[in-house]
């Protein structure tokens, strides 16, 4: 008997689960109305489960929901005839709806008072309201306007805002509505002082990073920008930037009036009884009463900003492993010190290892008043390169001043000293050169991991002269630009142009690091890495005095994060401007936007190289 009961219970549970899983929303077929009103009716009925109601209650619930759905479009007196199908529970209802007369706006009064009356964004909200007197009533624009006004008040610092009047009077019998809205914004708050806690960096330096000053009109967007700037500095592990009401504002009292503590005793009727007066002990000190009376509301309220930060780890390490056809396997070790003192100075060391190249570099940054845009930079490094016909050991020290402008262009003025012991194309030499230079660059991207839009430009000028003891005289100009654009969601175009030139009377004194070579994954595909350049009589690479490379690539999304690519590259390094011919390669490729960044595989055909019919190129990382 017990077994039968257990089986019966399990059967009931299974049936119940089956019914629950089979529960479906009521499907509606509508006649009499169409468009947005009909869509809204379907939406209101979409989660109605018929099995939860008896038939009479279900009809009543259907009528109630339809009335609510139509009311927002100004139909307050609809005639509704629902016809349920005969199944139990019913899965479908046929609706014949006569919406009736549509309520129209008879009176529309919108008013704005307080400081916001002279603030253009608030007037724009009123001007953008799409309804006027005589239009059919629609609830959605009315609700959106109220929400916009409330959000705008908080965003722009009107923290005492309130709706003095907010009414919608609907007279269905007269098919009319009267709308009244009055917003009293109160005074606009101003930024107060910035209070900083937990910082290991000089507070004055952090305050200078704010996009506002004390006394400026409050804007929530400025608070967000300030938080973003503090994060970009790299000095902190956590950042909290929060506005707060000024303490005196929170404790503010109305202007002082004559109170019980300031009553003057007089003789005669109304005076204090002297015996009672003598028995009274003082309960509030005179100085405290004076302080209380001074706590009156400020005519221009302020909003102080609280900044709470925690320091970032002082030592950060990173190891990277990669592979590219040009250099084969590569390994990178980085040691980053985001701050080393209270001024926010930072120090980076980087070790890069690959088969043809090994280098060690260090960068010491000294931020100025605007740490993100203005800084001094000291760089030093060692580099060894053994590739094709180039063998060089290079050591460099550079001191630079960096500016970043509002248009995002970065200007860098530098002085560099380089000692290079090299063998190029069978000729060996060593040079010590001192040269100043200046460069301008800008990079803009959207979605940096796999940019859907972006561009990069860089231009540089370098000059060396024996007048100050340098072993080489030259003027060197370089420039490159790269563009990424999308056509729709599935078509991506990448274009690139690079140029360079050296003017010198003795090219043999120019070290390999300043000569021009091209070819490889990031220049002219189809050719080996830096294999394109003038050669000497023995056929060994000598390097060029000029450079020109161009590339055009079309990518098409195949599915998800997989893209196919077709490209053509052309370019060369040469001595005489303009070159007689350029080397050209073209091919096909595959792009996969992996979690660690784009992976690019290309197969390219070099049209001017009979020995290599095809070359495979593989790289990891975005174009920029």
């Amino acid at each position: 008997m017990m077994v039968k009961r257990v089986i019966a219970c399990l059967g009931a549970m299974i049936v119940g689960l089956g019914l629950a899983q089979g529960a479906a929303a009521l499907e509606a077929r509508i006649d009499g109305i169409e468009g947005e009103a009909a869509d809204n009716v379907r939406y209101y009925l979409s989660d109605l489960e018929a099995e939860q109601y008896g038939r009479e209650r279900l009809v009543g619930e259907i009528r109630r929901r339809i009335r609510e759905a139509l009311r927002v479009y100004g139909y307050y007196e609809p005639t509704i005839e629902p016809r349920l199908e005969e199944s139990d529970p019913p899965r479908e209802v046929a609706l014949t709806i006569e919406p009736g007369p549509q309520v129209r706006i008879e009176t529309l009064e919108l008013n704005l008072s307080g400081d916001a009356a002279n603030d253009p964004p608030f007037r724009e909200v009123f001007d953008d309201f799409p309804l006027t007197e005589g239009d059919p009533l629609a609830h959605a624009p009315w609700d959106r306007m109220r929400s916009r006004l409330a959000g705008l008040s908080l965003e722009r610092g009107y923290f005492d805002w309130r709706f003095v009047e907010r009414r919608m009077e609907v007279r269905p019998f007269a098919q009319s509505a009267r709308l009244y809205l009055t917003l009293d914004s109160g005074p606009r708050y101003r930024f107060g002082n910035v209070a900083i806690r937990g910082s290991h960096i000089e507070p004055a330096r952090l305050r200078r990073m704010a996009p506002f000053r004390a006394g400026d009109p409050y804007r929530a967007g400025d608070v967000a920008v300030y938080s973003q700037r503090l994060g970009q500095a790299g000095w902190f592990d956590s950042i909290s930037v929060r506005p707060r009401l000024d303490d005196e504002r929170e404790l503010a009292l109305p202007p002082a009036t004559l109170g019980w503590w300031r009553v003057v005793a007089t003789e005669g009727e109304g005076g204090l009884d002297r015996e009672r007066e003598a028995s009274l002990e003082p309960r509030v000190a005179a100085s405290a009463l004076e302080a209380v009376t001074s706590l009156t509301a400020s005519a221009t309220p302020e909003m102080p900003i609280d900044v709470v930060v925690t320091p970032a780890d002082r030592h950060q390490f990173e190891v990277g492993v990669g592979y590219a056809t040009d250099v084969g396997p590569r390994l990178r070790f980085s040691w980053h010190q985001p701050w080393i003192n209270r001024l926010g100075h930072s120090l980076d060391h980087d070790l890069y290892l690959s088969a043809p190249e090994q280098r060690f570099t260090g960068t010491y940054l000294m931020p100025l008043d605007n740490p993100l845009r203005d800084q001094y930079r000291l760089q030093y490094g060692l580099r060894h390169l053994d590739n094709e016909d180039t063998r060089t050991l290079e050591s460099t020290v550079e001191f630079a001043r960096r500016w970043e402008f509002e248009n995002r262009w970065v200007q860098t003025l530098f002085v560099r000293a380089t000692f290079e012991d090299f063998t190029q194309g069978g000729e060996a030499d060593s040079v010590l050169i001192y040269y100043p230079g200046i460069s301008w660059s800008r990079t803009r991207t959207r979605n940096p991991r796999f940019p859907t839009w972006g561009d990069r430009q860089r231009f540089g000028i370098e000059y060396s002269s024996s007048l100050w003891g340098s072993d080489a005289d030259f003027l060197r100009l370089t420039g490159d630009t790269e563009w990424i654009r999308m056509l729709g969601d599935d078509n991506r175009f990448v274009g690139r142009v690079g140029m360079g030139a050296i003017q010198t009377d003795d090219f043999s004194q120019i070290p390999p690091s300043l000569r021009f070579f091209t070819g490889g994954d990031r220049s002219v595909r189809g050719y080996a890495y830096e294999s394109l350049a003038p050669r000497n009589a023995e056929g060994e690479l000598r390097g060029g005095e000029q450079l020109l490379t161009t590339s055009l690539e079309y990518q098409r999304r195949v599915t998800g994060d997989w893209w196919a690519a077709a490209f053509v590259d052309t370019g060369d390094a040469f001595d005489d401007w303009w070159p007689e011919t350029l080397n050209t390669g073209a091919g096909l490729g595959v792009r996969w936007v992996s979690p660690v960044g784009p992976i690019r595989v290309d197969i390219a055909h070099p049209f001017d190289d009979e020995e290599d019919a095809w070359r495979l190129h593989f790289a990891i990382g975005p174009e920029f």
Side-chain angles (χ1 to χ4, degrees):
M1 181 65 67
M2 181 62 69
V3 174
K4 291 183 178 179
R5 289 182 179 177
V6 171
I7 293 174
C9 290
L10 290 174
M13 291 174 62
I14 293 173
V15 171
L17 289 172
L19 290 174
Q21 293 176 352
L26 191 66
E27 183 177 349
R29 291 187 294 106
I30 302 174
D31 292 325
I33 60 172
E34 56 186 16
E36 292 182 352
D39 293 340
N40 205 41
V41 168
R42 292 189 180 91
Y43 174 77
Y44 269 68
L45 297 177
S46 61
D47 61 347
L48 181 59
E49 297 179 1
E51 59 271 12
Q52 303 296 325
Y53 302 86
R55 294 184 72 88
E56 291 186 5
R57 285 190 59 206
L58 180 59
V59 169
E61 181 65 14
I62 290 173
R63 292 180 186 274
R64 185 187 68 80
R65 294 194 180 200
I66 292 175
R67 290 192 184 95
E68 289 185 7
L70 295 178
R71 190 175 296 135
V72 298
Y73 291 97
Y75 298 107
Y76 277 77
E77 295 182 320
T79 301
I80 306 168
E81 295 183 7
R83 297 184 301 278
L84 296 171
E85 69 175 4
E86 296 300 326
S87 63
D88 189 18
R91 300 300 180 192
E92 184 178 90
V93 58
L95 299 170
T96 301
I97 301 175
E98 172 58 44
Q102 193 172 18
V103 169
R104 293 186 174 272
I105 299 175
E106 176 186 349
T107 302
L108 177 62
E109 292 186 5
L110 305 176
N111 298 295
L112 184 62
S113 61
D115 288 355
N118 299 315
D119 200 350
F122 284 85
R123 184 54 55 188
E124 291 175 6
V125 173
F126 282 175
D127 293 341
D128 292 342
F129 186 60
L131 304 180
T132 60
E133 293 180 357
D135 288 345
L137 175 64
H139 290 211
W142 177 257
D143 294 336
R144 281 196 300 268
M145 181 178 65
R146 292 187 303 172
S147 297
R148 286 183 63 187
L149 289 172
L152 196 60
S153 297
L154 296 176
E155 178 186 346
R156 297 184 66 80
Y158 298 93
F159 296 103
D160 298 329
W161 73 275
R162 64 190 181 96
F163 286 118
V164 177
E165 187 174 29
R166 186 183 58 181
R167 288 186 295 135
M168 177 186 291
E169 298 178 359
V170 180
R171 294 171 171 80
F173 57 87
Q175 293 89 51
S176 68
R178 299 176 181 178
L179 278 59
Y180 305 92
L181 186 142
T182 299
L183 173 68
D184 179 9
S185 69
R188 185 176 186 181
Y189 280 61
R190 303 275 172 166
F191 279 108
N193 294 324
V194 176
I196 298 174
R197 289 184 295 165
S199 176
H200 55 294
I201 306 298
E202 287 288 350
R205 172 149 293 191
L206 302 185
R207 292 188 180 96
R208 286 195 294 268
M209 296 174 67
F212 54 83
R213 294 292 179 265
D216 290 346
Y218 177 89
R219 291 195 310 170
D222 288 342
V223 177
V225 170
Y226 189 23
S227 178
Q228 183 181 32
R229 288 181 179 179
L230 293 175
Q232 290 173 343
W235 296 327
F236 308 109
D237 185 56
S238 65
I239 301 167
S240 173
V241 181
R242 299 176 61 87
R244 63 175 167 86
L245 289 173
D246 184 73
D247 290 339
E248 290 194 2
R249 184 70 182 177
E250 292 178 336
L251 297 173
L253 300 174
T257 58
L258 190 64
W260 59 266
W261 58 86
R262 296 175 63 186
V263 172
V264 179
T266 59
E267 294 183 1
E269 187 176 356
L272 292 175
D273 180 76
R274 293 188 178 275
E275 293 183 3
R276 180 170 177 269
E277 180 183 7
S279 66
L280 290 176
E281 296 182 359
R283 299 190 179 186
V284 182
S287 59
L289 295 179
E290 183 179 355
V292 170
T293 59
S294 67
L295 290 177
T296 57
S298 172
T300 305
E302 292 185 344
M303 175 64 76
I305 302 298
D306 287 333
V307 177
V308 181
V309 295
T310 57
D313 292 338
R314 195 164 190 172
H315 301 278
Q316 301 175 8
F317 301 92
E318 182 179 351
V319 178
V321 179
Y323 179 88
T325 311
D326 288 345
V327 299
R330 55 192 181 190
L331 186 63
R332 180 182 177 186
F333 298 92
S334 296
W335 173 24
H336 178 49
Q337 294 176 266
W339 58 275
I340 59 177
N341 55 32
R342 290 184 60 81
L343 297 177
H345 294 188
S346 63
L347 182 61
D348 287 322
H349 286 104
D350 187 89
L351 176 63
Y352 172 87
L353 301 173
S354 68
E357 181 182 8
Q358 305 84 46
R359 65 174 181 263
F360 173 79
T361 59
T363 303
Y364 186 85
L365 291 180
M366 295 164 279
L368 301 176
D369 283 350
N370 189 332
L372 300 180
R373 294 191 172 183
D374 302 318
Q375 55 193 220
Y376 288 112
R377 182 182 67 198
L378 176 64
Q379 285 186 306
Y380 46 89
L382 294 171
R383 175 175 176 260
H384 175 259
L385 177 65
D386 187 351
N387 180 63
E388 295 282 345
D389 301 320
T390 303
R391 293 174 181 81
T392 179
L393 179 62
E394 173 191 359
S395 59
T396 301
V397 176
E398 174 186 297
F399 185 74
R401 171 72 162 89
R402 178 186 183 274
W403 298 264
E404 181 175 342
F405 305 112
E406 292 290 342
N407 58 10
R408 300 180 64 179
W409 278 95
V410 176
Q411 175 179 280
T412 304
L413 183 65
F414 61 87
V415 177
R416 184 180 300 156
T418 298
F419 174 79
E420 194 161 344
D421 186 4
F422 64 91
T423 300
Q424 182 65 59
E427 298 181 2
D429 204 345
S430 61
V431 295
L432 177 61
I433 53 178
Y434 311 96
Y435 57 100
I438 187 170
S439 68
W440 298 271
S441 63
R442 182 179 69 175
T443 300
R444 303 180 297 177
T445 61
R446 299 172 187 166
N447 185 19
R449 189 167 71 97
F450 188 68
T452 55
W453 180 96
D455 55 65
R456 180 186 63 184
Q457 290 83 35
R458 192 193 67 83
F459 307 96
I461 303 173
E462 299 161 326
Y463 180 72
S464 176
S465 174
S466 57
L467 293 176
W468 51 71
S470 184
D471 290 342
D473 295 276
F474 65 84
L475 173 65
R476 187 171 187 265
L477 308 176
T478 56
D480 62 77
T481 181
E482 190 168 359
W483 300 77
I484 296 175
R485 294 293 185 267
M486 294 283 291
L487 181 61
D489 295 330
D490 301 324
N491 301 281
R492 189 171 183 259
F493 296 87
V494 181
R496 182 178 64 249
V497 177
M499 303 178 69
I502 298 177
Q503 178 63 44
T504 181
D505 294 331
D506 187 359
F507 187 68
S508 64
Q509 292 294 103
I510 304 299
S513 61
L514 297 177
R515 301 183 187 188
F516 293 112
F517 303 84
T518 191
D521 295 342
R522 302 189 69 86
S523 55
V524 184
R525 285 163 286 189
Y527 298 86
Y529 176 57
E530 295 193 347
S531 64
L532 300 179
R535 298 175 181 265
N536 60 19
E538 288 75 27
E540 296 176 315
L541 287 171
R542 186 172 56 86
E545 296 183 38
Q546 281 85 33
L547 173 73
L548 174 64
T549 61
T550 64
S551 175
L552 181 62
E553 180 172 319
Y554 167 66
Q555 300 173 5
R556 171 73 181 181
R557 188 194 304 269
V558 178
T559 179
D561 290 330
W562 290 89
W563 298 68
F567 58 87
V568 58
D569 302 337
T570 186
D572 203 353
F574 40 88
D575 291 331
D576 298 320
W577 193 268
W578 175 270
E580 294 182 2
T581 60
L582 292 173
N583 295 280
T584 301
L588 301 174
V590 176
R591 309 285 180 266
W592 176 43
V593 188
S594 73
V596 297
I599 296 177
R600 306 191 303 275
V601 179
D602 294 322
I603 183 169
H605 172 62
F607 289 98
D608 305 300
D609 190 340
E610 297 179 357
E611 296 182 1
D612 292 329
W614 299 95
R615 178 171 289 273
L616 182 67
H617 296 274
F618 176 83
I620 299 176
E623 290 85 358
F624 292 170

